[in-house]
């Protein structure tokens, strides 16, 4: 674990300049036009830095949420008046992690918290600002409050030693965030959180991380009942990937070998698990990657749904219900489609909360299905 007491080293050459005082925007590099900028929020005692190109930084700076409620640098738990339902403690072989202090029910909000660092995932910097010297990232943290910087720099660094500490920490702890209300498949953004970034990985996780763009908070919800003392985990990898692919991904991006239950099965059970996950992946891809959902029978949909359940892939189970209901609406029995949609809604409310983008999409589907149900001639394709 990185516990190094950190002081910001001055960059080899200081390329930054103050672009605007209010909002507080710093240009990362005066030597070239279009360099990324750092926006510090809220202005004054900044506990969030947002890093992107100037138009995006100016757009985010103008969001009303920054003036309506400033959070403190500390994390906020689901119910402010009650103690958090988890504690952070050492987990053998994993560093720190979150452990349930009491029983947590499926759907419970475990923590909601603002990131300290938020950035476009891939940014163009000058050739002399590298991961190895960390100049760009150290400069980005320069105007954060002492408290925010200290909690960020206390996070784990799993990156190899040739990387500077700061990009090492940021890369180890980043989770996907969104700056648009709707998911944008063309652009990725990441954030680092004081507490959420402590959640460890499991290939059959007990919780789900979701970024609520409207409040700019990451949220962690239990997706199944979790017992007191049990570790709270999310997945860093595609849950429906087979073991070999998950292992390869986790070693390449997070530098650890996963020894969760799903990765430590006997060879026969491992084969079975991989086959089930492959079935889940193929079905989801077949439906999601087509503009028009393909014809898939209720039997096949139900079979893969069952396999997702057997694998404990709760989020994929909900996705199959939602995607399956689209297929069933088009080709089969509308009554079953409506039932699947309602089940998907109930599950997604538990997974992502009532206000999530997915729940809104499901509500749109429910409205369409209700109209179809009373249409004089059923739609036949
Ligand atoms: C985002 S951090 C999670 C919190 C971290 N354990 C800590 O001490 O702050 C990610 C790092 O935690 C460790 N980690 C997470 N899940 C793990 C797992 N299932 N097995 C082993 N190490 C894990 C790895 O070092 C990984 O790069």
């Amino acid at each position: 674990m990185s516990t190094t007491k950190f002081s910001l080293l001055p960059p080899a050459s200081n390329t930054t300049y103050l672009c605007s005082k209010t909002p507080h925007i710093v240009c990362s590099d005066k030597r070239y036009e279009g360099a990324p900028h750092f926006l510090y929020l809220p202005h004054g005692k900044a506990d969030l830095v947002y890093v992107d190109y100037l138009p995006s930084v100016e757009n985010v700076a103008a969001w009303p949420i920054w003036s309506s409620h400033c959070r403190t640098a500390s994390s906020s738990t689901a119910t402010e008046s009650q103690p958090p339902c988890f504690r952070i403690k050492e987990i053998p072989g994993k560093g720190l992690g979150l452990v349930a202090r009491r029983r947590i029910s499926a759907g419970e909000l475990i923590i909601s918290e603002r990131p300290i660092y938020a950035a476009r995932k891939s940014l163009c910097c000058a050739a002399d600002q590298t991961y190895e010297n960390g100049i760009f990232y150290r400069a980005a943290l320069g105007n954060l409050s002492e408290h925010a910087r200290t909690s960020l720099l206390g996070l784990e660094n799993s990156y190899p030693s040739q990387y500077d500490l700061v990009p090492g920490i940021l890369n180890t702890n980043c989770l996907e965030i969104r700056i648009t209300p709707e998911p944008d498949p063309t652009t990725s953004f990441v954030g680092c959180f004081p507490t959420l970034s402590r959640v460890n990985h499991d290939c059959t996780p007990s919780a789900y991380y979701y970024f609520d763009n409207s409040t700019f908070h990451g949220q962690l919800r239990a997706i199944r009942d979790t017992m007191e003392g049990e570790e709270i985990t999310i997945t860093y990898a595609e849950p429906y990937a087979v073991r070999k692919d998950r292992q390869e991904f986790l070693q390449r991006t997070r530098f650890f070998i996963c020894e969760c239950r799903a990765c430590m099965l006997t060879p026969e059970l491992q084969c079975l698990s991989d086959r089930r996950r492959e079935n889940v992946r193929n079905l989801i891809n077949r439906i999601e990657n087509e503009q028009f959902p393909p014809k898939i029978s209720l039997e096949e949909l139900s079979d893969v749904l069952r396999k997702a359940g057997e694998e404990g892939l709760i989020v994929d189970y909900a996705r199959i219900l939602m995607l399956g209901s689209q297929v069933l609406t088009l080709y089969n029995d509308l009554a079953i489609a409506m039932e699947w949609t309602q089940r998907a809604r109930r599950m997604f409310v538990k997974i992502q909360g009532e206000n999530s983008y997915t729940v809104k999409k499901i509500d749109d589907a429910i409205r369409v299905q209700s109209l179809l149900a009373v249409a004089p001639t059923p739609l036949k394709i």
Side-chain angles (χ1 to χ4, degrees):
M1 208 182 64
S2 51
T3 49
T4 328
K5 178 79 189 135
F6 176 87
S7 67
L8 284 177
L9 298 176
S13 59
N14 187 4
T15 59
T16 63
Y17 74 93
L18 182 66
C19 191
S20 147
K21 256 188 160 173
T22 316
H24 188 174
I25 299 174
V26 171
C27 173
S28 69
D29 203 327
K30 59 190 164 210
R31 297 170 300 173
Y32 72 102
E33 219 179 296
H37 285 62
F38 310 137
L39 165 68
Y40 297 94
L41 294 159
H43 183 59
K45 191 180 73 60
D47 49 28
L48 161 62
V49 56
Y50 173 68
V51 184
D52 199 1
Y53 300 108
L54 188 57
S56 155
V57 154
E58 285 176 333
N59 170 40
V60 169
W63 288 356
I65 54 168
W66 309 122
S67 42
S68 57
H69 56 289
C70 309
R71 62 132 209 210
T72 57
S74 63
S75 53
S76 68
T77 50
T79 320
E80 294 288 352
S81 54
Q82 290 182 1
C85 61
F86 62 88
R87 63 167 59 87
I88 295 178
K89 61 176 273 197
E90 194 74 32
I91 314 282
K94 300 185 187 176
L96 296 180
L98 267 61
V99 172
R101 286 166 68 127
R102 57 165 171 80
R103 184 180 185 279
I104 305 173
S105 305
E108 211 179 304
L109 180 62
I110 298 168
I111 181 170
S112 171
E113 129 181 294
R114 281 252 167 94
I116 290 178
Y117 174 88
R120 184 181 291 267
K121 196 168 179 181
S122 92
L123 288 159
C124 285
C125 300
D128 59 357
Q129 301 198 339
T130 61
Y131 274 157
E132 284 75 10
N133 64 32
I135 289 173
F136 176 85
Y137 299 94
R138 285 171 182 263
L141 307 196
N143 290 294
L144 281 176
S145 70
E146 188 63 35
H147 183 280
R149 202 160 53 220
T150 307
S151 51
L152 195 70
L153 296 167
L155 292 174
E156 171 75 358
N157 174 21
S158 303
Y159 268 61
S161 57
Q162 72 262 30
Y163 287 92
D164 178 66
L165 174 74
V166 177
I169 288 175
L170 296 175
N171 280 313
T172 301
N173 293 285
C174 61
L175 292 165
E176 288 231 344
I177 65 161
R178 254 189 306 129
I179 65 152
T180 48
E182 303 205 349
D184 174 3
T186 60
T187 322
S188 299
F189 287 84
V190 290
C192 282
F193 299 81
T195 310
L196 275 171
S197 289
R198 295 284 187 199
V199 185
N200 287 321
H201 163 89
D202 195 287
C203 297
T204 317
S206 61
Y208 185 78
Y209 159 80
Y210 174 77
F211 192 76
D212 178 5
N213 151 271
S214 67
T215 58
F216 216 71
H217 274 64
Q219 299 182 341
L220 186 70
R221 277 172 206 277
I223 54 174
R224 59 171 163 77
D225 293 347
T226 306
M227 297 304 121
E228 182 184 340
E230 204 183 322
E231 189 180 4
I232 300 164
T233 53
I234 57 172
T235 179
Y236 301 167
E238 280 293 6
Y240 51 49
V242 297
R243 178 181 181 277
K244 184 175 144 292
D245 294 347
R246 298 195 307 269
Q247 289 279 344
E248 190 275 326
F249 175 81
L250 293 168
Q251 282 182 54
R252 181 167 48 80
T253 61
R254 304 287 178 142
F255 306 99
F256 71 90
I257 294 171
C258 184
E259 294 181 352
C260 76
R261 214 163 51 85
C263 287
M264 302 300 278
L265 297 168
T266 59
E268 301 94 87
L269 290 177
Q270 194 62 70
C271 265
L272 186 65
S273 164
D274 280 353
R275 265 205 309 275
R276 284 194 199 119
R277 288 184 193 231
E278 251 171 352
N279 286 163
V280 170
R281 180 181 57 193
N282 291 344
L283 183 88
I284 290 177
N285 285 345
R286 265 169 77 195
I287 305 175
E288 270 187 347
N289 296 344
E290 294 295 331
Q291 221 180 358
F292 204 66
K295 191 164 186 168
I296 303 171
S297 69
L298 175 61
E299 288 67 38
E300 189 179 349
L301 291 169
S302 305
D303 178 56
V304 184
L305 186 69
R306 178 180 52 76
K307 287 173 175 157
E310 285 167 358
E311 275 300 291
L313 300 180
I314 293 163
V315 178
D316 290 307
Y317 190 96
R319 280 170 84 189
I320 294 171
L321 282 174
M322 186 178 71
L323 295 168
S325 79
Q326 291 169 10
V327 174
L328 294 169
T329 304
L330 273 177
Y331 300 107
N332 280 293
D333 191 337
L334 185 60
I336 297 175
M338 291 173 90
E339 185 205 315
W340 279 42
T341 315
Q342 291 294 347
R343 286 170 67 193
R345 189 185 194 284
R346 283 196 294 278
M347 287 192 76
F348 271 108
V349 167
K350 285 189 174 173
I351 293 166
Q352 298 184 345
E354 187 75 48
N355 297 322
S356 81
Y357 173 77
T358 314
V359 172
K360 289 196 180 87
K361 284 279 146 203
I362 294 176
D363 285 341
D364 290 344
I366 290 172
R367 276 190 284 279
V368 170
Q369 287 173 338
S370 310
L371 289 173
L372 287 174
V374 294
T377 325
L379 188 67
K380 285 260 189 287
I381 293 175

